[in-house]
Amino acid sequence: MSGAALGIEIVVVFFLALFLLHRYGDFRKQQRMVLFGTLLAWYLCFLIVFILPLDVSTTIYKQCIIDHEEHAVSPATVLSNQTSGNSTVLPTKSIPKACHKPWSYIPNGIMPVFWRVVYWTSQCLTWLLLPFMQSYARSGGFSITSKIKTALIENAIYYGTYLLIFGSLLIYVAVHPEWRLNWYELQTIGITAANTWGLFLLVLLLGYGLVEIPRSYWDNSHHGHLLIKTYFKLAKLMTEKADSEENLEDVMEEVRKVSESIKYNHPLRKYIDTILRKCPVDYQEKMGRNMDDYEDFDDKRNTYPSEKSLAKLHKQVIYAVQRHNRTRVQWQVLLEEAFHLEDVAKNETSSSREFVHSFGPSEPPGWFSRHIYTPTVEWYWECLLKQWFYRVLAVVLSLFSVAVVWSECTFFSTKPVLSLFAVFIQLAETDYNYLYIEMACFITIFFLCTCVYSTVFRIRVFNYYYLAPHHQTDAYSLQFSGMLFCRLTPPLCLNFLGLIHMDSAISHQAKQQTAYTSIMGSMRVLSFIADGFYIYYPMLIVLLCIATYFSLGTRCLNLLGFQQFMGDNELTSDLIDEGKELLRRERRKRQRLEDGENRRREWRERYGNRDQSGARSIQQSEMKETNYSDTANANTNTNTNTSTGPGRPKYTRTSSQAERDCIELLEDAEPLDFNADVPTDDPLGAEAGRRHTGGRYLSMSSSRSRIFDDV
């Protein structure tokens, strides 16, 4: 199994990242470079989360080997001292247990190279490639040069903060008399600058997520509270949705004016075509119908916009379309959630114990829904078990959050060991339970990542970006998520190693280092960072958790005019009532659409076979008529003197009146002429009926003069 676990996890993590990207992104519509950059960023971050527990277990095994070697040397040293007459006996350690190689052991020399490739690739993505791609895609320029220039200017803030930290550390090392700058120390300064920036943001996000994640699960266990909060969100999102639609209309009006002023042979027309391709399809069709390509732009002395103003308009179009798509997707997701919560409230009082949905599924049920997740199982889960499961999960996550906060404040203490995670790992070390060590490390890192990353997409300030399943996430949010993951995952994992006392730069213990901490460089080059910022700054998480628990940020936003969900607020009650009315309106609209679709489906099922039988009977009648005509012609040519007898067959239409009515309704017939004098019940009658000039379809009338009688 030497190195096999590493290879298996590399392959499994790749398919996991690919599956998640397929779920949130759209392979058919989004650009290949965006998908590739996002996939690479997610893949590298998932590798760090999944491979770091293997690095920890391998390091513990190596430390066990070192302890055995030291124990083997100690008795020989004591014996030599006694034979030489020295009465001093060196203290010896207790005999350690036999070292068992973990199932996921990774040979020497592989992990340092692996971590260097993963770390530096992720840093290039998060600081250079992904921000540049994001700004490049949102730029309003029409040439590559202008887009690159705009991207560099927009990213100057991110680059400036990083360069400020890096420059300050560089000056500190340069003026220190004991240190000399070399490539290794420059590399350490760069890594320290990136980790310092990440840790600064990490603690802020973690302080919010450690409280809000358990509380959200506890609130979700109460369906009534969750439904009221969903009403509140609907009302707020409707305001934002209407604002985005109005903004899009204004921008499209500007595009229409510019498009009509700049004709097809104008030098700036190619820029207008580029802008039009970014507009929604329905707006493109409207503008295309109003375009007169035969008018020369030199015939009128109009003032034309400059290329700079067109670039500004192009950027406004990109932003307006993105905002409109974002609010539309969020509105649909929130509607589905609200409908489901109302269904749960109705089904809780059901005596049949079968879950009934208000609307049918958009897709046919699969094998899992038909055989396992049946309506009865769904009722027990949604109405009984789910709320208790969420409550238990909220309690477990609360205990986990308390352990994280305590460990963040005490992880620097090694004697005694106060960090709870370090205690758990050291207890597992004594029994060499590597599977427990790896699972504990993975669950802890996953919990920290969940608290941090969900906070970004939960806070109102970051509402510009979102992750929506079913291929509804836009390209900008995918790039932002990849950039954020690569920027925060390395310092988060380094902080976790500090919690379990596997980072010697913080714990100051002479222990075997993990390969991950070895590529980070020795933080002792920057002692005020290792002994100061990395130890005392995480204690700020206590204040952030207290502020989040008492909703101080929500109350401050309410005072500033940003309405937030507050149960005892009058404006909150008004928004809840507005959300209820919006949901009732959407329910009626969707119910009408579903009823119409059901009626059309029932009509097709009821009269579809009769329509086909009627068509077959007409075809058989025509075949009989054709056969009769051929027979009659043959008989005429054979015997012209013989007259037709009384037994001569006559052609009759076999289709009845009801069948002709079915044919009319199922086909796309033209509208009726309601100005006709005499109505008829047989619009699809025989030839005599077609010659009738009474009430009939316009295409069957013998005269078209009646069309303009009322003009």
Side-chain angles (χ1 to χ4, degrees), residues 1 393 414 422 576:
M1 292 295 293
L393 183 61
T414 56
I576 291 173

Side-chain angles (χ1 to χ4, degrees), residues 11-145:
V11 176
V12 171
V13 168
F14 174 77
F15 284 104
L16 175 62
L18 188 64
F19 168 76
L20 293 177
L21 183 61
H22 177 265
R23 176 174 172 81
Y24 288 96
D26 194 341
F27 288 172
R28 294 176 297 179
K29 297 181 180 180
Q30 291 169 346
Q31 297 180 357
R32 296 294 180 265
M33 283 300 299
V34 173
L35 295 174
F36 175 76
T38 306
L39 176 63
L40 184 59
W42 288 9
Y43 178 52
L44 294 176
C45 294
F46 293 165
L47 279 179
I48 296 177
V49 174
F50 279 85
I51 303 300
L52 188 61
L54 305 186
D55 192 7
V56 172
S57 62
T58 302
T59 303
I60 292 175
Y61 173 72
K62 293 179 180 179
Q63 183 64 41
C64 177
I65 297 296
I66 294 175
D67 293 340
H68 270 276
E69 292 178 352
E70 292 179 354
H71 179 75
V73 172
S74 297
T77 305
V78 174
L79 181 61
S80 63
N81 290 335
Q82 291 177 350
T83 54
S84 61
N86 190 357
S87 60
T88 303
V89 179
L90 296 177
T92 60
K93 299 181 181 179
S94 60
I95 301 176
K97 296 182 180 179
C99 300
H100 301 284
K101 182 181 291 187
W103 68 277
S104 58
Y105 175 76
I106 301 174
N108 295 329
I110 295 180
M111 289 307 299
V113 177
F114 174 82
W115 286 128
R116 286 191 183 94
V117 173
V118 170
Y119 178 79
W120 289 111
T121 305
S122 63
Q123 293 305 300
C124 290
L125 283 173
T126 186
W127 291 103
L128 299 176
L129 185 59
L130 288 178
F132 182 82
M133 288 174 58
Q134 192 177 31
S135 300
Y136 184 90
R138 294 178 55 188
S139 173
F142 300 100
S143 62
I144 298 178
T145 305

Side-chain angles (χ1 to χ4, degrees), residues 159-172:
Y159 300 147
T161 56
Y162 180 79
L163 291 177
L164 178 63
I165 298 175
F166 179 80
S168 302
L169 298 178
L170 184 63
I171 294 173
Y172 175 79

Side-chain angles (χ1 to χ4, degrees), residues 217 221 381 384-394:
Y217 279 104
S221 64
W381 167 250
L384 292 179
L385 301 179
K386 188 176 182 179
Q387 52 186 350
W388 289 105
F389 173 75
Y390 276 179
R391 290 172 185 173
V392 174
L393 183 61

